[in-house]
Amino acid sequence: EAQVTQNPRYLITVTGKKLTVTCSQNMNHEYMSWYRQDPGLGLRQIYYSMNVEVTDKGDVPEGYKVSRKEKRNFPLILESPSPNQTSLYFCASSSHRGMNTEAFFGQGTRLTVV
Amino acid sequence: GQNIDQPTEMTATEGAIVQINCTYQTSGFNGLFWYQQHAGEAPTFLSYNVLDGLEEKGRFSSFLSRSKGYSYLLLKELQMKDSASYLCAGIYNQGGKLIFGQGTELSVKP
């Protein structure tokens, strides 16, 4: 089954404790992206990757890092989480640089930073 | 930035037709997506428009006017299960950036 898998689904952590949210897709997609979703603000792009070893900033990259060492995985790293990073996070993938093809979304990771 | 604007919420009656509008900035624009998102779930793809005109897919249709920076999603024969948030998203800069509107919360009432 074609899918995007995020882990964990829920996470409560403390300020400053490094964490990684994993994202994996089994569709051999070139394009992967991370979003955060906050009430009243909609989905905002954090980082995206056009292919292996190619990553670019989205609209809200501050406080986040990503890596794309292999095609299927695109982890999101918070080196020093802060309460303003409490949010619902989605990973998505699509073929052909995201153009003209639907993005498949993971089920989301609800992160709370206290 | 590439602002995407859509109404915050709409209400419609079961069996009726509803049109959700979306406006976007045209600089660097490549195409426009519509997604549906039920509460607590991931967005799911509805449509993609890159050329001007209407794309019909069952009960859902999507329209694009590139010159006006305008799109709409048309939902016909509304059902209760259509109650959801509808997200308009523009793709920019040769496919790299996907910019979402804040979403339109649609409530379908009996």
Short mmCIF file of all heavy atoms in Angstrom, two decimals, chain A residues 9 31 35 37 40-43 45 48 50 57-59 88 90 97-103 105-107, chain B residues 2 30 33 35 37 40-45 48 50 87 91 93-103:
data_model
loop_
_atom_site.label_atom_id
_atom_site.label_comp_id
_atom_site.label_asym_id
_atom_site.label_seq_id
_atom_site.Cartn_x
_atom_site.Cartn_y
_atom_site.Cartn_z
N ARG A 9 3.19 9.67 16.37
CA ARG A 9 1.92 10.37 16.10
C ARG A 9 1.69 11.47 17.14
O ARG A 9 1.10 12.51 16.84
CB ARG A 9 0.77 9.38 16.14
CG ARG A 9 0.74 8.38 15.01
CD ARG A 9 0.36 9.04 13.68
NE ARG A 9 -0.85 9.84 13.76
CZ ARG A 9 -2.08 9.37 13.69
NH1 ARG A 9 -2.29 8.08 13.55
NH2 ARG A 9 -3.12 10.19 13.76
N TYR A 31 9.95 14.27 -4.45
CA TYR A 31 9.67 15.48 -3.68
C TYR A 31 9.08 15.12 -2.32
O TYR A 31 8.14 14.34 -2.22
CB TYR A 31 8.67 16.34 -4.47
CG TYR A 31 8.29 17.65 -3.83
CD1 TYR A 31 8.96 18.83 -4.13
CD2 TYR A 31 7.21 17.73 -2.95
CE1 TYR A 31 8.60 20.03 -3.57
CE2 TYR A 31 6.84 18.94 -2.38
CZ TYR A 31 7.54 20.08 -2.70
OH TYR A 31 7.17 21.28 -2.14
N TYR A 35 5.28 20.36 6.83
CA TYR A 35 4.39 21.47 7.11
C TYR A 35 4.04 21.45 8.59
O TYR A 35 4.03 20.41 9.22
CB TYR A 35 3.08 21.35 6.33
CG TYR A 35 3.27 21.27 4.84
CD1 TYR A 35 3.46 20.04 4.22
CD2 TYR A 35 3.27 22.41 4.05
CE1 TYR A 35 3.65 19.95 2.85
CE2 TYR A 35 3.46 22.34 2.68
CZ TYR A 35 3.65 21.10 2.09
OH TYR A 35 3.84 21.02 0.74
N GLN A 37 0.76 22.93 11.03
CA GLN A 37 -0.60 23.43 10.92
C GLN A 37 -1.04 23.98 12.26
O GLN A 37 -1.05 23.26 13.26
CB GLN A 37 -1.57 22.34 10.46
CG GLN A 37 -2.96 22.86 10.15
CD GLN A 37 -3.83 21.82 9.47
OE1 GLN A 37 -3.72 20.62 9.76
NE2 GLN A 37 -4.69 22.25 8.56
N GLY A 40 -6.08 28.92 12.51
CA GLY A 40 -6.13 30.25 11.93
C GLY A 40 -5.01 30.56 10.97
O GLY A 40 -5.05 31.59 10.28
N LEU A 41 -4.01 29.69 10.89
CA LEU A 41 -2.86 29.97 10.01
C LEU A 41 -2.75 28.97 8.87
O LEU A 41 -1.99 29.16 7.94
CB LEU A 41 -1.56 29.94 10.83
CG LEU A 41 -1.44 31.03 11.89
CD1 LEU A 41 -0.16 30.84 12.69
CD2 LEU A 41 -1.47 32.42 11.26
N GLY A 42 -3.47 27.88 8.97
CA GLY A 42 -3.41 26.89 7.90
C GLY A 42 -2.10 26.12 7.91
O GLY A 42 -1.33 26.14 8.88
N LEU A 43 -1.83 25.45 6.82
CA LEU A 43 -0.59 24.69 6.65
C LEU A 43 0.51 25.62 6.17
O LEU A 43 0.35 26.32 5.17
CB LEU A 43 -0.80 23.58 5.62
CG LEU A 43 -1.48 22.31 6.10
CD1 LEU A 43 -2.07 21.54 4.93
CD2 LEU A 43 -0.48 21.43 6.83
N GLN A 45 4.63 25.73 5.05
CA GLN A 45 5.73 24.86 4.65
C GLN A 45 7.00 25.20 5.45
O GLN A 45 7.40 26.35 5.53
CB GLN A 45 5.98 25.02 3.15
CG GLN A 45 6.86 23.95 2.54
CD GLN A 45 6.96 24.10 1.03
OE1 GLN A 45 7.07 25.20 0.51
NE2 GLN A 45 6.92 22.98 0.32
N TYR A 48 11.43 21.76 2.19
CA TYR A 48 11.09 20.80 1.17
C TYR A 48 12.37 20.27 0.53
O TYR A 48 13.45 20.86 0.66
CB TYR A 48 10.15 21.39 0.11
CG TYR A 48 10.68 22.56 -0.67
CD1 TYR A 48 11.32 22.38 -1.89
CD2 TYR A 48 10.53 23.86 -0.20
CE1 TYR A 48 11.80 23.47 -2.62
CE2 TYR A 48 10.99 24.95 -0.92
CZ TYR A 48 11.62 24.75 -2.12
OH TYR A 48 12.09 25.82 -2.85
N MET A 50 13.68 18.45 -3.20
CA MET A 50 13.37 18.05 -4.57
C MET A 50 13.93 16.67 -4.90
O MET A 50 13.44 15.99 -5.80
CB MET A 50 13.96 19.05 -5.56
CG MET A 50 13.41 20.45 -5.42
SD MET A 50 11.79 20.60 -6.17
CE MET A 50 11.86 22.30 -6.70
N LYS A 57 14.52 25.87 2.08
CA LYS A 57 13.65 26.42 3.11
C LYS A 57 12.27 26.74 2.53
O LYS A 57 12.15 27.22 1.42
CB LYS A 57 14.26 27.71 3.68
CG LYS A 57 15.57 27.50 4.41
CD LYS A 57 16.15 28.82 4.88
CE LYS A 57 17.47 28.61 5.60
NZ LYS A 57 18.07 29.89 6.05
N GLY A 58 11.27 26.49 3.35
CA GLY A 58 9.93 26.93 3.03
C GLY A 58 9.67 28.28 3.67
O GLY A 58 10.58 29.11 3.79
N ASP A 59 8.47 28.50 4.14
CA ASP A 59 8.10 29.79 4.71
C ASP A 59 8.50 29.96 6.18
O ASP A 59 8.72 31.07 6.64
CB ASP A 59 6.59 30.00 4.60
CG ASP A 59 6.19 30.46 3.22
OD1 ASP A 59 7.07 30.97 2.49
OD2 ASP A 59 5.02 30.31 2.86
N LEU A 88 0.73 20.85 14.98
CA LEU A 88 0.46 19.61 14.27
C LEU A 88 1.34 19.62 13.03
O LEU A 88 1.26 20.55 12.22
CB LEU A 88 -1.01 19.52 13.90
CG LEU A 88 -1.46 18.30 13.09
CD1 LEU A 88 -1.17 17.01 13.84
CD2 LEU A 88 -2.96 18.39 12.78
N PHE A 90 2.84 17.81 9.49
CA PHE A 90 2.56 16.86 8.42
C PHE A 90 3.76 16.76 7.49
O PHE A 90 4.35 17.77 7.11
CB PHE A 90 1.35 17.29 7.58
CG PHE A 90 0.03 17.11 8.26
CD1 PHE A 90 -0.63 18.18 8.81
CD2 PHE A 90 -0.55 15.85 8.34
CE1 PHE A 90 -1.86 18.02 9.44
CE2 PHE A 90 -1.78 15.67 8.95
CZ PHE A 90 -2.43 16.75 9.51
N ARG A 97 8.77 16.68 -8.58
CA ARG A 97 8.98 18.02 -8.01
C ARG A 97 7.69 18.65 -7.52
O ARG A 97 7.60 19.86 -7.41
CB ARG A 97 9.64 18.93 -9.04
CG ARG A 97 10.97 18.42 -9.53
CD ARG A 97 11.46 19.24 -10.71
NE ARG A 97 11.74 20.60 -10.32
CZ ARG A 97 11.98 21.57 -11.20
NH1 ARG A 97 11.95 21.33 -12.49
NH2 ARG A 97 12.23 22.78 -10.79
N GLY A 98 6.69 17.86 -7.25
CA GLY A 98 5.47 18.42 -6.69
C GLY A 98 4.55 19.07 -7.68
O GLY A 98 3.47 19.53 -7.33
N MET A 99 4.94 19.09 -8.95
CA MET A 99 4.08 19.74 -9.94
C MET A 99 3.12 18.75 -10.57
O MET A 99 3.49 17.64 -10.91
CB MET A 99 4.94 20.37 -11.03
CG MET A 99 5.79 21.52 -10.54
SD MET A 99 6.80 22.23 -11.83
CE MET A 99 5.56 22.98 -12.87
N ASN A 100 1.90 19.17 -10.69
CA ASN A 100 0.91 18.42 -11.43
C ASN A 100 0.59 17.05 -10.85
O ASN A 100 0.00 16.22 -11.50
CB ASN A 100 1.34 18.24 -12.90
CG ASN A 100 0.17 17.90 -13.80
OD1 ASN A 100 -0.95 18.30 -13.53
ND2 ASN A 100 0.42 17.13 -14.83
N THR A 101 1.01 16.81 -9.66
CA THR A 101 0.69 15.54 -9.04
C THR A 101 0.28 15.78 -7.60
O THR A 101 0.78 16.69 -6.95
CB THR A 101 1.88 14.57 -9.05
OG1 THR A 101 2.98 15.19 -8.39
CG2 THR A 101 2.28 14.19 -10.45
N GLU A 102 -0.62 14.96 -7.14
CA GLU A 102 -1.09 15.16 -5.79
C GLU A 102 0.00 14.83 -4.80
O GLU A 102 0.87 13.98 -5.04
CB GLU A 102 -2.31 14.29 -5.52
CG GLU A 102 -2.03 12.80 -5.57
CD GLU A 102 -3.27 11.99 -5.26
OE1 GLU A 102 -3.64 11.95 -4.08
OE2 GLU A 102 -3.82 11.40 -6.20
N ALA A 103 -0.05 15.49 -3.67
CA ALA A 103 0.85 15.17 -2.57
C ALA A 103 0.15 14.18 -1.65
O ALA A 103 -1.04 14.31 -1.35
CB ALA A 103 1.23 16.43 -1.81
N PHE A 105 -0.05 12.78 2.05
CA PHE A 105 0.30 13.26 3.39
C PHE A 105 0.38 12.11 4.38
O PHE A 105 -0.39 11.14 4.31
CB PHE A 105 -0.74 14.25 3.88
CG PHE A 105 -0.61 15.62 3.28
CD1 PHE A 105 -1.12 15.88 2.02
CD2 PHE A 105 0.03 16.64 3.96
CE1 PHE A 105 -1.00 17.14 1.45
CE2 PHE A 105 0.15 17.90 3.41
CZ PHE A 105 -0.36 18.15 2.15
N GLY A 106 1.30 12.24 5.31
CA GLY A 106 1.32 11.35 6.46
C GLY A 106 0.17 11.69 7.39
O GLY A 106 -0.55 12.67 7.19
N GLN A 107 -0.01 10.89 8.43
CA GLN A 107 -1.14 11.04 9.33
C GLN A 107 -0.97 12.16 10.35
O GLN A 107 -1.89 12.47 11.08
CB GLN A 107 -1.43 9.72 10.05
CG GLN A 107 -2.07 8.69 9.13
CD GLN A 107 -3.30 9.24 8.43
OE1 GLN A 107 -3.29 9.59 7.26
NE2 GLN A 107 -4.39 9.36 9.17
N GLN B 2 3.49 34.83 -1.31
CA GLN B 2 2.44 34.41 -2.23
C GLN B 2 1.17 34.17 -1.43
O GLN B 2 0.85 33.03 -1.10
CB GLN B 2 2.87 33.14 -2.98
CG GLN B 2 4.02 33.32 -3.91
CD GLN B 2 5.36 33.06 -3.26
OE1 GLN B 2 5.43 32.70 -2.11
NE2 GLN B 2 6.42 33.27 -4.00
N ASN B 30 2.52 28.46 -10.63
CA ASN B 30 2.56 27.35 -11.56
C ASN B 30 1.24 26.59 -11.65
O ASN B 30 0.89 26.08 -12.70
CB ASN B 30 3.67 26.36 -11.18
CG ASN B 30 5.04 26.97 -11.26
OD1 ASN B 30 5.77 27.03 -10.30
ND2 ASN B 30 5.39 27.47 -12.44
N PHE B 33 -3.89 23.65 -6.29
CA PHE B 33 -4.49 22.43 -5.74
C PHE B 33 -5.66 22.78 -4.83
O PHE B 33 -5.69 23.83 -4.20
CB PHE B 33 -3.46 21.69 -4.86
CG PHE B 33 -2.34 21.03 -5.60
CD1 PHE B 33 -1.13 21.69 -5.78
CD2 PHE B 33 -2.47 19.74 -6.09
CE1 PHE B 33 -0.08 21.07 -6.44
CE2 PHE B 33 -1.43 19.12 -6.75
CZ PHE B 33 -0.24 19.79 -6.92
N TYR B 35 -7.48 20.66 -1.60
CA TYR B 35 -7.44 19.49 -0.72
C TYR B 35 -8.62 19.56 0.23
O TYR B 35 -9.11 20.64 0.58
CB TYR B 35 -6.15 19.47 0.10
CG TYR B 35 -4.93 19.00 -0.65
CD1 TYR B 35 -4.19 19.87 -1.43
CD2 TYR B 35 -4.54 17.66 -0.59
CE1 TYR B 35 -3.09 19.43 -2.12
CE2 TYR B 35 -3.43 17.22 -1.29
CZ TYR B 35 -2.71 18.11 -2.06
OH TYR B 35 -1.61 17.67 -2.75
N GLN B 37 -9.79 18.32 4.12
CA GLN B 37 -9.24 17.83 5.38
C GLN B 37 -10.34 17.72 6.42
O GLN B 37 -10.92 18.73 6.83
CB GLN B 37 -8.13 18.76 5.88
CG GLN B 37 -7.42 18.23 7.12
CD GLN B 37 -6.30 19.14 7.59
OE1 GLN B 37 -6.32 20.34 7.35
NE2 GLN B 37 -5.32 18.56 8.27
N GLY B 40 -8.76 16.42 12.44
CA GLY B 40 -7.86 15.44 13.01
C GLY B 40 -7.22 14.50 12.01
O GLY B 40 -6.50 13.58 12.41
N GLU B 41 -7.50 14.73 10.73
CA GLU B 41 -6.95 13.84 9.71
C GLU B 41 -6.01 14.58 8.77
O GLU B 41 -5.93 15.80 8.78
CB GLU B 41 -8.09 13.20 8.91
CG GLU B 41 -9.00 12.33 9.76
CD GLU B 41 -10.09 11.67 8.93
OE1 GLU B 41 -10.04 11.74 7.68
OE2 GLU B 41 -10.99 11.08 9.54
N ALA B 42 -5.31 13.82 7.92
CA ALA B 42 -4.42 14.42 6.93
C ALA B 42 -5.23 14.95 5.76
O ALA B 42 -6.32 14.45 5.45
CB ALA B 42 -3.42 13.36 6.44
N PRO B 43 -4.72 15.98 5.09
CA PRO B 43 -5.38 16.45 3.86
C PRO B 43 -5.40 15.37 2.79
O PRO B 43 -4.45 14.58 2.68
CB PRO B 43 -4.50 17.63 3.42
CG PRO B 43 -3.76 18.04 4.64
CD PRO B 43 -3.55 16.78 5.42
N THR B 44 -6.47 15.37 1.99
CA THR B 44 -6.54 14.45 0.85
C THR B 44 -6.80 15.25 -0.43
O THR B 44 -7.55 16.23 -0.42
CB THR B 44 -7.64 13.39 1.03
OG1 THR B 44 -8.88 14.05 1.29
CG2 THR B 44 -7.32 12.45 2.17
N PHE B 45 -6.20 14.82 -1.50
CA PHE B 45 -6.22 15.53 -2.79
C PHE B 45 -7.61 15.53 -3.40
O PHE B 45 -8.30 14.51 -3.43
CB PHE B 45 -5.23 14.83 -3.72
CG PHE B 45 -5.25 15.31 -5.14
CD1 PHE B 45 -4.53 16.43 -5.51
CD2 PHE B 45 -5.96 14.61 -6.11
CE1 PHE B 45 -4.53 16.85 -6.83
CE2 PHE B 45 -5.96 15.04 -7.43
CZ PHE B 45 -5.24 16.15 -7.79
N TYR B 48 -6.34 19.46 -9.22
CA TYR B 48 -5.20 20.29 -9.60
C TYR B 48 -5.54 21.01 -10.89
O TYR B 48 -5.97 20.37 -11.86
CB TYR B 48 -3.95 19.45 -9.78
CG TYR B 48 -2.75 20.24 -10.24
CD1 TYR B 48 -2.08 21.07 -9.35
CD2 TYR B 48 -2.29 20.15 -11.55
CE1 TYR B 48 -0.98 21.81 -9.76
CE2 TYR B 48 -1.19 20.89 -11.96
CZ TYR B 48 -0.54 21.72 -11.07
OH TYR B 48 0.55 22.45 -11.47
N VAL B 50 -3.94 23.76 -13.76
CA VAL B 50 -2.80 24.54 -14.24
C VAL B 50 -3.22 25.44 -15.40
O VAL B 50 -2.65 26.52 -15.58
CB VAL B 50 -1.62 23.63 -14.64
CG1 VAL B 50 -2.00 22.72 -15.80
CG2 VAL B 50 -0.38 24.43 -14.94
N LEU B 87 -8.88 23.21 1.55
CA LEU B 87 -7.62 23.95 1.48
C LEU B 87 -7.27 24.25 0.04
O LEU B 87 -7.20 23.35 -0.80
CB LEU B 87 -6.49 23.13 2.11
CG LEU B 87 -6.75 22.47 3.46
CD1 LEU B 87 -5.54 21.66 3.89
CD2 LEU B 87 -7.12 23.50 4.50
N ILE B 91 1.12 26.37 -6.13
CA ILE B 91 2.50 25.88 -6.27
C ILE B 91 3.29 26.93 -7.05
O ILE B 91 2.83 27.46 -8.06
CB ILE B 91 2.53 24.48 -6.90
CG1 ILE B 91 3.90 23.86 -6.71
CG2 ILE B 91 2.11 24.48 -8.36
CD1 ILE B 91 3.90 22.36 -6.76
N ASN B 93 7.34 28.79 -8.09
CA ASN B 93 8.79 28.65 -8.30
C ASN B 93 9.18 27.29 -8.84
O ASN B 93 10.02 26.58 -8.29
CB ASN B 93 9.54 28.92 -7.00
CG ASN B 93 9.28 30.32 -6.47
OD1 ASN B 93 8.81 31.19 -7.19
ND2 ASN B 93 9.54 30.53 -5.20
N GLN B 94 8.55 26.89 -9.92
CA GLN B 94 8.88 25.64 -10.62
C GLN B 94 8.69 24.42 -9.74
O GLN B 94 9.42 23.43 -9.87
CB GLN B 94 10.31 25.69 -11.15
CG GLN B 94 10.54 26.79 -12.17
CD GLN B 94 9.60 26.69 -13.35
OE1 GLN B 94 9.46 25.64 -13.97
NE2 GLN B 94 8.90 27.78 -13.67
N GLY B 95 7.74 24.50 -8.85
CA GLY B 95 7.35 23.30 -8.13
C GLY B 95 7.91 23.17 -6.74
O GLY B 95 7.56 22.26 -6.03
N GLY B 96 8.77 24.07 -6.33
CA GLY B 96 9.37 23.90 -5.02
C GLY B 96 8.44 24.24 -3.87
O GLY B 96 8.27 23.46 -2.93
N LYS B 97 7.80 25.39 -3.97
CA LYS B 97 7.04 25.90 -2.83
C LYS B 97 5.55 25.68 -3.02
O LYS B 97 4.98 26.03 -4.04
CB LYS B 97 7.30 27.39 -2.63
CG LYS B 97 8.74 27.73 -2.34
CD LYS B 97 8.90 29.17 -1.93
CE LYS B 97 8.41 29.38 -0.51
NZ LYS B 97 8.72 30.77 -0.02
N LEU B 98 4.95 25.10 -2.02
CA LEU B 98 3.50 24.90 -2.00
C LEU B 98 2.96 25.77 -0.88
O LEU B 98 3.29 25.54 0.28
CB LEU B 98 3.18 23.43 -1.78
CG LEU B 98 1.73 22.99 -1.94
CD1 LEU B 98 1.23 23.27 -3.34
CD2 LEU B 98 1.59 21.51 -1.62
N ILE B 99 2.14 26.76 -1.25
CA ILE B 99 1.63 27.71 -0.28
C ILE B 99 0.14 27.46 -0.09
O ILE B 99 -0.63 27.49 -1.05
CB ILE B 99 1.84 29.16 -0.76
CG1 ILE B 99 3.29 29.40 -1.16
CG2 ILE B 99 1.39 30.15 0.31
CD1 ILE B 99 4.28 29.30 -0.04
N PHE B 100 -0.25 27.22 1.15
CA PHE B 100 -1.65 26.95 1.46
C PHE B 100 -2.36 28.18 1.97
O PHE B 100 -1.78 29.02 2.67
CB PHE B 100 -1.74 25.87 2.55
CG PHE B 100 -1.50 24.48 2.06
CD1 PHE B 100 -0.22 23.98 1.93
CD2 PHE B 100 -2.57 23.66 1.74
CE1 PHE B 100 0.00 22.68 1.47
CE2 PHE B 100 -2.36 22.36 1.29
CZ PHE B 100 -1.07 21.88 1.15
N GLY B 101 -3.65 28.28 1.65
CA GLY B 101 -4.52 29.22 2.32
C GLY B 101 -4.85 28.68 3.70
O GLY B 101 -4.49 27.55 4.04
N GLN B 102 -5.55 29.47 4.50
CA GLN B 102 -5.83 29.04 5.87
C GLN B 102 -6.93 27.99 5.93
O GLN B 102 -7.17 27.40 6.99
CB GLN B 102 -6.22 30.24 6.73
CG GLN B 102 -7.52 30.90 6.34
CD GLN B 102 -7.86 32.03 7.28
OE1 GLN B 102 -7.13 32.36 8.18
NE2 GLN B 102 -9.00 32.66 7.05
N GLY B 103 -7.60 27.75 4.80
CA GLY B 103 -8.65 26.74 4.79
C GLY B 103 -10.03 27.33 5.01
O GLY B 103 -10.19 28.32 5.73
#
